[in-house]
Amino acid sequence: QVQLVESGGGLVQAGDSLRLSCAASERTFSSNAMAWFRHAPGKEREFVATITWDVGITLYADSVEGRFTISRDNAKNTVYLQMNSLKPEDTALYYCATSTVLTRAISGYNSWGQGTQVTVSS
């Protein structure tokens, strides 16, 4: 089981930026992609973005396209989520996760971190 630790969350105002980090304890042969999900109170867990380790192919949710950027540092086994132009509706607990293939489907993910809280005030 891959251990994932998220960090970088905090309280910001609308329009501000944050960069989240997810450090993985290991990178296995079957863990070919990393993703960010978020879960806000009263809402279902929502896909945010994902990236493959090899080529760096990315997928984004429509709600964050153009504002968020996912990236990775293979040498550090770390994935980042640069969040710009934050909105109050971005407020959620953000999780990172691993998958064998690039996918938006929550069922495709194997290991999950504990989450880091992002709160955006208006």
Side-chain angles (χ1 to χ4, degrees):
Q1 183 179 2
V2 178
Q3 302 295 317
L4 304 173
V5 180
E6 303 97 331
S7 62
L11 174 62
V12 298
Q13 291 189 314
D16 286 353
S17 298
L18 281 174
R19 190 181 77 159
L20 306 183
S21 298
C22 176
S25 62
E26 61 181 309
R27 181 187 170 192
T28 67
F29 186 77
S30 60
S31 298
N32 296 318
M34 296 280 287
W36 289 96
F37 286 79
R38 63 188 183 185
H39 192 186
K43 298 181 179 180
E44 296 182 350
R45 185 169 45 179
E46 177 187 20
F47 169 81
V48 177
T50 185
I51 187 169
T52 63
W53 284 110
D54 53 0
V55 182
I57 301 171
T58 60
L59 293 174
Y60 293 93
D62 290 343
S63 60
V64 306
E65 183 74 50
R67 296 188 298 122
F68 291 9
T69 302
I70 188 170
S71 61
R72 89 290 196 208
D73 186 332
N74 293 54
K76 297 181 179 180
N77 289 338
T78 300
V79 173
Y80 305 96
L81 185 68
Q82 178 66 46
M83 305 185 294
N84 298 326
S85 301
L86 283 163
K87 304 174 181 179
E89 51 262 44
D90 295 319
T91 296
L93 187 64
Y94 283 71
Y95 298 90
C96 66
T98 64
S99 65
T100 58
V101 297
L102 197 72
T103 180
R104 294 183 176 92
I106 191 170
S107 61
Y109 290 83
N110 314 115
S111 300
W112 296 81
Q114 80 289 346
T116 185
Q117 179 67 38
V118 173
T119 302
V120 185
S121 65
S122 59

